[in-house]
Amino acid sequence: MKIAVLPGDGIGTEIVAEAVKVLHALDLKFEMEEALVGGAAYEAHGHPLPESTLKLAKASDAILFGAVGDWKYDKLDRPLRPEQAILGLRKNLGLFANFRPAICYEQLVGASSLKPELISGLDILIIRELTGDIYFGQPRGRRVATDGHFPGAEEAFDTMRYSRPEIERIAHVAFQAARKRSKKVTSVDKSNVLETFQFWKDVVTEVHKEYPDVALDHMYVDNAAMQLVKEPKKFDVVVTGNMFGDILSDEASMLTGSIGMLPSASLNSNNQGLYEPSHGSAPDIAGKGIANPLATILSAAMMLRFSLNQAASADRIETAVKSVLASGLRTVDIWSEGTQKVSTREMGEAVVKAITKSTKS
Ligand code: NAD
C-alpha cells in the first residue's frame, strides 16, 4: 500500500502530521513518501505541482493531501498559484468523482449554527463532478494579465462546458452510491438559465433509466442551497457539477458543526484516490496549533475504505473519532461550554490513544 503524503501549505502540514500518526497506529504496513505541493513546492521548485510530485502521486495507490494556498501568492500568474496543484492532480489522475459525506456526529449537534432537530442524525453524501465545468472550460479570458490580475481590461470570461461521457460517468457513480444507501438521488442544476445544465439534467435523466430502483429528483442550485439549511435531512445523495458542488459542500460542512469535520475522497475509474479535508489551508490560523485535524483523519479513513481495501481499519478510525468526541475533547472550531479545548496535536494523539486502546481490548 503506497501512499503519497502531500501536506501542502498553511495548516496542511499540521493536520496531515496527525493523520499520519493515526495511520501508523493501525497494525498495517504502509509505504509512505512525502513530497512538496502548492506554495511550498513553488518556493522550492518554482512550480506548485513539480514533475517529481506528480510522478509520486501517479505511482501511489492513494494520496493523502493537506491543503494548498496562501494569500501571499494572489499576485502570481494563475498557472503558478498553489491552487493549480490540486486542479493539476485531479486532471492528471482523472479524479472525476468527489465524495463529500456530511455527517453530523451526535456529540456535535450543539456546535452547528442550525437548530439541533434539523441536523441530529444527518447523513448526506454530496457527489461533486471534479474535472469538468467552468473550472476547466476553454477558452478562458486572460487579458493583460501580467500578475494574475487585469489592469485596464474591460472584461474577463470563463467557459462552462460538460461532455456527455463526463456527465454519464458521474451519474453512474451517484446512482451506484445511492443503491448502497437509501436509494435516492437529487441532481442539482441550473437548467432554467444555463444550457450546460439543461444538458446535465437530460443526461442524468437518461442514465437514470438503468437504475429503476433508485428515485431521482432534480433541483435548481439556488433552491438546493436554501433547502440544505431549511430541511437538510430530506437529501440523501446529491450529485452536481464542479462549481455548484464546491459551494454546496462548503455549505453542508456547516451542518456538521465545522468545516474542520468534513472529509473528502476524489476517485478515478481505477479507485485510485486523493483524500483531503474539504477545507483550505486556513492561513488565518496556520502555525497556531489550533486547527481541527479530524477532517483529515476521517479522510484517511475514507482512503483505507475506498482505495486500500481496509474497511475494518477505516471503521476503527471512525469509531476512535466518535469516542474522542464523546469524551468531550474539542478543537476551538467545535468547542462549546462544558467541553475541553485541545490543540491540533492533542486531538490527533487522543485519536491514536483511542485506536491503541481498541487494539488492546
Ligand atoms: P479555508 O477553508 O482555508 O478557511 C475558511 C475558514 O475556516 C477560516 O476561518 C479557517 O480558519 C477555518 N478553518 C478551515 N479549516 C479549519 C480547520 N481544520 N480547523 C479549524 N478551522 C478551520 O478557506 P479560505 O480562507 O477561503 O482559503 C484559504 C486558502 O486555502 C486560499 O488560498 C484558498 O485558495 C485555499 N483553498 C485550498 C483548498 C485545497 O487545498 N483543496 C480548498 C479551499 C481553499
Side-chain angles (χ1 to χ4, degrees):
M1 292 185 281
K2 185 169 167 122
I3 304 171
V5 180
L6 310 182
D9 306 319
I11 61 169
T13 50
E14 302 165 40
I15 53 183
V16 166
E18 299 313 315
V20 166
K21 276 185 214 164
V22 168
L23 286 170
H24 282 310
L26 300 162
D27 37 16
L28 294 173
K29 278 209 166 36
F30 303 109
E31 189 192 326
M32 289 197 209
E33 193 175 332
E34 197 170 313
L36 295 175
V37 74
Y42 173 76
E43 302 287 352
H45 304 290
H47 197 279
L49 183 58
E51 201 47 51
S52 52
T53 302
L54 183 58
K55 207 171 144 199
L56 170 68
K58 282 185 174 166
S60 303
D61 299 305
I63 302 155
L64 182 64
F65 190 92
V68 289
D70 191 295
W71 302 310
K72 72 179 176 193
Y73 300 113
D74 281 358
K75 286 230 171 298
L76 280 180
D77 206 7
R78 195 165 296 278
L80 293 179
R81 290 197 202 169
E83 294 79 2
Q84 293 301 313
I86 185 80
L87 296 181
L89 282 167
R90 286 170 187 166
K91 201 74 195 169
N92 275 287
L93 277 75
L95 305 169
F96 70 94
N98 185 222
F99 286 69
R100 296 190 175 201
I103 296 169
C104 184
Y105 289 94
E106 225 35 56
Q107 297 84 0
L108 293 185
V109 166
S112 171
S113 48
L114 294 191
K115 288 186 193 128
E117 61 270 27
L118 285 185
I119 47 149
S120 174
L122 180 85
D123 179 357
I124 62 182
L125 175 62
I126 298 188
I127 297 182
R128 166 186 170 198
E129 199 290 327
L130 210 53
T131 53
D133 204 348
I134 197 162
Y135 293 179
F136 288 97
Q138 297 291 337
R140 303 170 82 163
R142 292 175 47 77
R143 297 178 198 278
V144 223
T146 47
D147 64 350
H149 294 270
F150 303 94
E154 294 299 324
E155 65 165 350
F157 59 92
D158 300 274
T159 314
M160 182 174 270
R161 179 189 165 278
Y162 263 121
S163 68
R164 175 178 289 276
E166 282 173 332
I167 304 171
E168 282 175 347
R169 66 182 180 178
I170 195 75
H172 281 293
V173 166
F175 289 124
Q176 281 162 20
R179 273 190 170 157
K180 295 185 194 144
R181 297 173 52 101
S182 65
K183 299 196 166 72
K184 186 177 163 216
V185 171
T186 303
S187 169
V188 171
D189 63 57
K190 189 71 185 168
S191 55
N192 49 342
V193 177
L194 298 170
E195 296 303 334
T196 314
F197 274 91
Q198 182 59 55
F199 182 53
W200 170 281
K201 186 174 179 176
D202 294 348
V203 175
V204 172
T205 306
E206 280 173 39
V207 173
H208 178 229
K209 290 185 187 136
E210 295 176 43
Y211 300 87
D213 52 322
V214 178
L216 169 69
D217 66 346
H218 302 273
M219 197 179 278
Y220 297 140
V221 64
D222 37 353
N223 186 23
M226 184 179 78
Q227 298 298 334
L228 261 180
V229 285
K230 183 169 176 253
E231 214 183 327
K233 281 190 271 186
K234 79 174 186 196
F235 293 103
D236 190 62
V237 173
V238 174
V239 64
T240 190
N242 203 343
M243 181 165 65
F244 298 156
D246 191 1
I247 299 165
L248 291 182
S249 58
D250 263 29
E251 187 187 357
S253 73
M254 284 319 292
L255 306 173
T256 68
S258 166
I259 195 158
M261 291 298 302
L262 207 72
S264 85
S266 305
L267 298 173
N268 65 18
S269 35
N270 305 322
N271 271 354
Q272 187 192 23
L274 182 146
Y275 298 84
E276 58 170 335
S278 294
H279 56 74
S281 56
D284 55 334
I285 58 166
K288 296 185 179 162
I290 57 171
N292 186 344
L294 293 181
T296 316
I297 290 171
L298 291 167
S299 301
M302 290 182 87
M303 174 173 81
L304 290 166
R305 183 170 290 121
F306 287 135
S307 288
L308 303 180
N309 216 7
Q310 300 290 337
S313 296
D315 289 344
R316 282 180 70 198
I317 294 181
E318 287 161 358
T319 306
V321 166
K322 279 184 203 153
S323 82
V324 167
L325 291 174
S327 74
L329 302 189
R330 302 282 188 273
T331 43
V332 66
D333 56 308
I334 48 174
W335 180 83
S336 59
E337 211 61 59
T339 60
Q340 187 190 340
K341 218 177 268 179
V342 293
S343 67
T344 309
R345 214 184 61 214
E346 286 165 335
M347 183 58 102
E349 283 167 1
V351 177
V352 167
K353 220 179 203 172
I355 288 175
T356 320
K357 221 161 114 190
S358 75
T359 319
K360 285 184 188 143
S361 58

